[in-house]
Amino acid sequence: MSSENSFIYDFIVIGSGPAGFSAAIEAAQYGSRVAVIEMEDEIGGVCINTGTFPSKTLREAVLQLTGFYPKQIYRRIWPERPIVSMEQLRERLNAVRAEERRIIRYQLDQAGVTLYYGAASFVSAKQVSVESSDGRVIFLDGRYVIIATGSKPRRPADIPFDDEIILDSKSLLDLREIPKTLIIIGGGVIGSEYATIFAALGVKVTLLDMGGKLLKFLDSEISDHLKNNFPYGNIRYLSGTGCRRISLQYGEAVAETDNGSVLRGDRLLFALG
């Protein structure tokens, strides 16, 4: 390979999420030459683009647009819950993501970190190739390589994901309209969070949880308080209930539970890891 497409750094960081970003900034502050490689089209990783920030942004947008908090206080005089569209929610979501990406990019630039977009592959222990979407390949040599590639939603092979009716936490953000009914598999953080968000929008949610209590890592008192205060009573919580089979039938999501019952919904969110 020629030197024209080869660059030398002290640290090569694969991934621009919170871990990769923090490592890159820290190394740069000590005078190291640092490169960050991001495979996706946008920086920030799952935290900014599909995970933490999107769910928290949707939560706040829903609370504001529906007047959820004021309605709890001024119950008698607050008007009926307004109609909220996914377009409104996505507009707010995109604005927040864009601002967070801008902040990250600014901080990387200020620290002198070089950002590359593309898929990283190890050529050797200290050399990484980066292939961009247009097929161009460059090579980065580094004294140290930090792998900070993060995570992605679990998608078992036997689940017929189509990203329109049967969804994971990433494709859920691309919904074109708010469903009337939603089945959520998984009573962890993601499942519980989206259950309450959509319930506040008036969606009838069925939440399946294999465990004995909601958010099992919490104290029982806190878990019970959440369960007893679901928005507008729109969540049907089924504890100790696993899902034997998920299928698509006539434009609906169908979940067959371990106890033999059959659940149908406009959409299904698989949120098990």
Side-chain angles (χ1 to χ4, degrees):
M1 74 195 70
S2 68
S3 59
E4 294 180 357
N5 65 343
S6 182
F7 305 88
I8 299 175
Y9 294 91
D10 296 309
F11 285 89
I12 298 171
V13 182
I14 304 175
S16 68
F21 168 78
S22 298
I25 293 295
E26 184 79 9
Q29 287 175 342
Y30 282 93
S32 299
R33 292 193 64 199
V34 183
V36 171
I37 305 170
E38 175 54 54
M39 183 175 69
E40 301 295 339
D41 295 334
E42 300 288 354
I43 57 177
V46 170
C47 179
I48 300 298
N49 295 301
T50 61
T52 305
F53 273 74
S55 64
K56 303 303 181 292
T57 300
L58 287 180
R59 175 184 179 275
E60 290 304 310
V62 167
L63 292 176
Q64 293 293 329
L65 291 171
T66 61
F68 183 83
Y69 282 148
K71 194 170 184 178
Q72 303 309 300
I73 301 172
Y74 306 108
R75 196 178 298 268
R76 294 180 181 177
I77 62 173
W78 194 257
E80 289 299 314
R81 189 165 64 247
I83 296 175
V84 180
S85 69
M86 281 304 300
E87 184 178 356
Q88 289 175 297
L89 297 176
R90 194 155 33 244
E91 181 180 350
R92 178 58 181 161
L93 174 58
N94 289 338
V96 170
R97 286 194 291 202
E99 177 62 13
E100 292 301 323
R101 292 166 186 156
R102 186 195 66 78
I103 292 171
I104 291 173
R105 185 59 192 261
Y106 175 79
Q107 291 178 326
L108 290 175
D109 288 344
Q110 288 295 105
V113 175
T114 305
L115 178 63
Y116 295 93
Y117 287 99
S121 300
F122 277 94
V123 178
S124 67
K126 294 188 177 182
Q127 188 177 70
V128 177
S129 67
V130 184
E131 182 176 1
S132 61
S133 58
D134 61 5
R136 187 170 62 93
V137 178
I138 61 173
F139 298 89
L140 308 181
D141 293 285
R143 294 175 60 196
Y144 304 99
V145 180
I146 299 173
I147 302 174
T149 50
S151 62
K152 59 184 179 181
R154 178 169 167 256
R155 291 172 67 106
D158 61 335
I159 308 297
F161 291 99
D162 66 344
D163 295 329
E164 291 186 8
I165 295 175
I166 297 180
L167 314 156
D168 61 21
S169 58
K170 181 178 180 180
S171 55
L172 180 73
L173 300 175
D174 296 322
L175 275 176
R176 290 192 293 269
E177 58 185 23
I178 297 171
K180 293 181 179 179
T181 57
L182 174 66
I183 301 169
I184 298 180
I185 311 297
V189 172
I190 294 174
S192 300
E193 196 163 38
Y194 280 118
T196 55
I197 288 171
F198 280 93
L201 288 169
V203 178
K204 297 297 183 183
V205 179
T206 301
L207 179 60
L208 271 67
D209 185 3
M210 292 181 64
K213 71 170 187 175
L214 192 65
L215 295 169
K216 61 182 179 181
F217 59 87
L218 295 178
D219 290 343
S220 295
E221 182 181 2
I222 300 174
S223 178
D224 290 342
H225 182 76
L226 172 61
K227 186 173 62 176
N228 294 331
N229 290 275
F230 283 143
Y232 306 115
N234 282 336
I235 299 177
R236 178 189 177 198
Y237 175 63
L238 303 177
S239 63
T241 305
C243 188
R244 182 168 55 193
R245 183 171 178 266
I246 295 172
S247 61
L248 275 168
Q249 296 181 18
Y250 306 108
E252 283 187 321
V254 178
E256 300 176 26
T257 68
D258 290 340
N259 60 22
S261 61
V262 177
L263 305 173
R264 298 179 180 273
D266 294 331
R267 299 291 186 273
L268 182 145
L269 169 63
F270 185 86
L272 284 178

